[in-house]
Amino acid sequence: MWDDRKSRTREEERRVPDGVALSLQEAAAWDLFDVNVRVGPSGVHGELALEPAELLQEMDDFYIRSALVSHWAAEEYDAAIGDEALARIAEPRFTPAWGILPEASFIDALATRKPLAVRITPGLRQHSFSLGRWCAGPMFEYLQHRSIVSLISRTDITWDEVAALLENFPRLPLVLLDTGYRADRYLFPLLDRFPSLHFDTATYLAHRQLESVVEQRGSGQLLFGSRLPLFTPASAIGVLASARIAESDKRAIAGDNLRRLLAQAKARIGVQA
């Protein structure tokens, strides 16, 4: 049987419905900065993983100007090896989100890179360490003191651990990724109590949920995320484009909030230099 898919051109494959096209037209003006992206080969998600050139093409297709990018190897295999692989990419549109471990020797080595952001991966299937002060206290002291943007997936931290972490390190710029649409009764009290807590929009996709946050708490703690390469950016872009919020709030979520956090980290590097 003839497979019509084989006869399609690249342009036809990338054709999108009119509603999605309108969302992308808006996104083109936002200067999107994606907080939740991974690059490189993956032993777990091999069929979805993207090399740098492929990731850039995907970003271009969705008007994502810049991305905070971590390397799969730093999460799934060895943090130091993953960080070396990330350093070799040296793509100006990528801001590295370095892997990090609680050992003093690892933190000392990471400090030479003058990091602006890290992705913390303490899960049992990753690097398996406690987020408690008794284990990771010096690591969080380092991150807080330098205002380093600290990413962690909701699957790797409990809500009680989020609260305890920010009680101990209230100035830590913590970004909670992959929160999901049923998180509000946990998330909202934490956002109110800890201004340094932020979360991304990759999986925060329930009907009019984004508006609810902005109406009640403003847009300052929301960051655009796509979860590339595991998710398409289309959902997060569509939700933001259709949100009944001010254009200034859309731009804040799309990238301005993340740029503000990274600027604070850059300023701390200047203080430390």
Side-chain angles (χ1 to χ4, degrees):
M1 181 180 292
W2 174 255
D3 186 351
D4 183 60
R5 290 175 297 180
K6 295 179 180 177
S7 67
R8 295 176 185 173
T9 65
R10 181 179 177 83
E11 288 72 22
E12 288 172 330
E13 289 174 349
R14 294 188 179 279
R15 191 172 296 159
V16 296
D18 290 343
V20 176
L22 290 173
S23 296
L24 292 179
Q25 288 176 17
E26 280 200 69
W30 287 339
D31 198 12
L32 278 167
F33 200 148
D34 193 334
V35 73
N36 191 354
V37 176
R38 299 176 178 96
V39 72
S42 165
V44 179
H45 307 284
E47 74 283 0
L48 297 174
L50 298 175
E51 293 297 337
E54 298 169 316
L55 177 57
L56 286 168
Q57 179 62 63
E58 196 76 9
M59 290 168 60
D60 286 343
D61 289 344
F62 290 93
Y63 299 98
I64 298 172
R65 189 75 53 84
S66 307
L68 207 57
V69 179
S70 59
H71 200 284
W72 280 117
E75 179 175 341
E76 297 176 350
Y77 176 53
D78 182 283
I81 290 174
D83 284 352
E84 284 295 331
L86 188 59
R88 288 194 297 271
I89 294 173
E91 163 56 49
R93 290 172 65 187
F94 298 166
T95 297
W98 305 101
I100 189 169
L101 297 175
E103 288 84 359
S105 59
F106 194 98
I107 295 169
D108 290 343
L110 180 62
T112 65
R113 300 187 188 277
K114 296 186 176 180
L116 301 180
V118 297
R119 185 186 281 258
I120 305 166
T121 51
L124 289 175
R125 297 184 179 181
Q126 300 159 330
H127 298 298
S128 190
F129 60 89
S130 170
L131 298 173
R133 183 186 283 273
W134 60 269
C135 177
M139 180 183 81
F140 287 118
E141 289 282 5
Y142 167 78
L143 296 172
Q144 175 176 256
H145 183 62
R146 289 159 180 79
S147 298
I148 295 170
V149 179
S150 301
L151 314 180
I152 189 166
S153 175
R154 167 65 187 87
T155 59
D156 295 327
I157 187 171
T158 69
W159 293 108
D160 286 339
E161 285 175 327
V162 173
L165 179 59
L166 292 174
E167 288 281 2
N168 287 325
F169 305 97
R171 293 181 290 103
L172 176 72
L174 185 68
V175 179
L176 198 58
L177 306 176
D178 316 324
T179 55
Y181 72 96
R182 302 187 71 178
D184 290 355
R185 287 193 176 92
Y186 294 96
L187 184 61
F188 287 3
L190 290 167
L191 292 172
D192 292 342
R193 187 167 183 174
F194 302 109
S196 65
L197 177 63
H198 297 71
F199 70 103
D200 87 313
T201 63
T203 53
Y204 200 74
L205 304 173
H207 181 66
R208 300 302 173 200
Q209 194 172 28
L210 206 63
E211 288 95 323
S212 176
V213 177
V214 174
E215 288 171 4
Q216 297 179 50
R217 289 164 178 81
S219 59
Q221 290 168 283
L222 276 158
L223 307 176
F224 172 80
S226 71
R227 213 173 178 231
L228 269 170
L230 303 182
F231 286 15
T232 173
S235 297
I237 290 173
V239 167
L240 183 57
S242 62
R244 297 168 181 170
I245 57 177
E247 183 65 21
S248 59
D249 288 317
K250 291 184 179 182
R251 289 180 178 272
I253 296 166
D256 289 350
N257 289 339
L258 180 54
R259 291 186 184 88
R260 168 177 50 79
L261 293 177
L262 292 172
Q264 292 170 2
K266 289 178 182 178
R268 295 299 296 172
I269 289 174
V271 169
Q272 299 298 317

